[in-house]
Amino acid sequence: KMKVKANQLYDFVRKTSFNGAIPGSVYKMTELGLENFNKTPDTMGIAHGILCKNNIKDSAAGFSFGIGSNDKLMKCLKEFGEEEIDVIVNETLGRMHLVGKGLQVECVMTSPAMIDSTLEQVPESLHWDFEPFVINSDMFKKAANYARILENNTLKLKAENGELMVVNGETNFDQFTQKFKVAAPDFEAEYGEALQSVVGVLEGSLKCWAQSNYPLKFEEESAAYKFMAIVAPVVAKE
């Protein structure tokens, strides 16, 4: 079992599942903390997260559980608020229990073999051997809102001469264009729904690796967790 604050586990599940866009996940206790590594159903997005060990009590390496519905798990965790809960796994029965002071929730676990969104590593063909730049997630929060206004998930990024343009919508149609001064290399790429899923869970200051028509990589870190997200462009690099 492990003991953790319900709201911290909720935030971790939300972030690493792109708010439920990744339906199922396998969560494993490692020497770094509670870890998972997932891809979106369309394989256009990858998430890797670590809930740091100092936020978890009474757990050992080897503890793990598979969940077929991250969305349902988030809804269950939300019922506990900020309460510290026990997460108890019964592999024989295929059940996980979330136990608080006055509430206990029983969740059906899913065999890791049945969760095809799980990854072991980033594809070997991908390398970010160029320098990252730092951006604030607020620009993407606005982009997510503009996507809802336009009902269009297309998002274009273009950096030129130290200015980054974040463009929602299609050319010759309704568009929102944000401009920011950013110490980024010149690049241009277009992304689809996968990026819209990712930007909804990004927070604070981010490291970003970008190159024209190449997967976009983000890293976010706080006292509670480490989080990495990768998003493939609409046009793959040849």
Side-chain angles (χ1 to χ4, degrees):
K1 71 172 187 177
M2 71 173 183
K3 190 181 291 288
V4 65
K5 285 193 173 181
N7 61 316
Q8 286 187 338
L9 184 54
Y10 168 87
D11 287 340
F12 183 68
V13 173
R14 176 179 175 272
K15 189 171 292 288
T16 57
S17 71
F18 300 156
N19 198 28
I22 297 174
S25 300
V26 178
Y27 297 84
K28 301 177 181 178
M29 184 60 64
T30 69
E31 60 182 12
L32 299 174
L34 188 68
E35 190 168 357
N36 69 9
F37 205 165
N38 308 305
K39 60 184 176 182
T40 56
D42 61 6
T43 71
M44 296 292 282
I46 293 175
H48 181 208
I50 300 169
L51 181 60
C52 300
K53 224 170 187 178
N54 58 2
N55 297 285
I56 301 168
K57 301 177 184 176
D58 302 337
S59 188
F63 175 87
S64 68
F65 56 91
I67 290 293
S69 174
N70 282 310
D71 184 63
K72 187 176 290 184
L73 177 58
M74 285 189 289
K75 290 175 181 176
C76 292
L77 288 167
K78 206 164 188 178
E79 293 301 308
F80 293 94
E82 298 182 1
E83 184 181 351
E84 188 174 66
I85 62 172
D86 288 313
V87 180
I88 302 170
V89 168
N90 187 322
E91 292 184 2
T92 303
L93 296 178
R95 297 288 187 273
M96 179 176 70
H97 293 85
L98 309 175
V99 183
K101 292 180 180 178
L103 175 66
Q104 176 173 319
V105 178
E106 183 175 332
C107 304
V108 176
M109 295 195 302
T110 303
S111 168
M114 299 294 291
I115 301 175
D116 58 9
S117 56
T118 299
L119 290 174
E120 295 296 328
Q121 63 181 21
V122 173
E124 293 182 1
S125 60
L126 298 179
H127 301 279
W128 290 269
D129 49 5
F130 42 91
E131 289 297 311
F133 56 95
V134 178
I135 56 176
N136 192 286
S137 63
D138 286 349
M139 67 175 70
F140 290 119
K141 299 286 187 189
K142 291 179 180 178
N145 182 54
Y146 298 151
R148 286 189 286 270
I149 293 171
L150 296 176
E151 298 181 347
N152 185 317
N153 284 319
T154 301
L155 190 63
K156 298 174 185 176
L157 304 182
K158 182 178 181 179
E160 192 173 35
N161 299 323
E163 184 176 71
L164 176 65
M165 291 190 295
V166 182
V167 183
N168 287 82
E170 301 285 351
T171 302
N172 298 325
F173 291 90
D174 297 335
Q175 278 192 334
F176 286 84
T177 301
Q178 301 180 74
K179 295 183 179 181
F180 304 92
K181 293 293 184 182
V182 175
D186 290 359
F187 76 94
E188 185 172 0
E190 182 177 332
Y191 302 89
E193 189 172 354
L195 182 56
Q196 296 292 357
S197 297
V198 173
V199 299
V201 301
L202 295 174
E203 296 173 295
S205 181
L206 311 167
K207 282 185 179 179
C208 180
W209 287 257
Q211 189 169 281
S212 292
N213 295 327
Y214 197 79
L216 186 65
K217 177 181 174 182
F218 298 103
E219 283 188 0
E220 178 189 332
E221 188 170 347
S222 72
Y225 56 80
K226 295 179 181 179
F227 175 63
M228 180 271 290
I230 298 169
V231 185
V234 173
V235 180
K237 185 175 180 180
E238 295 183 358

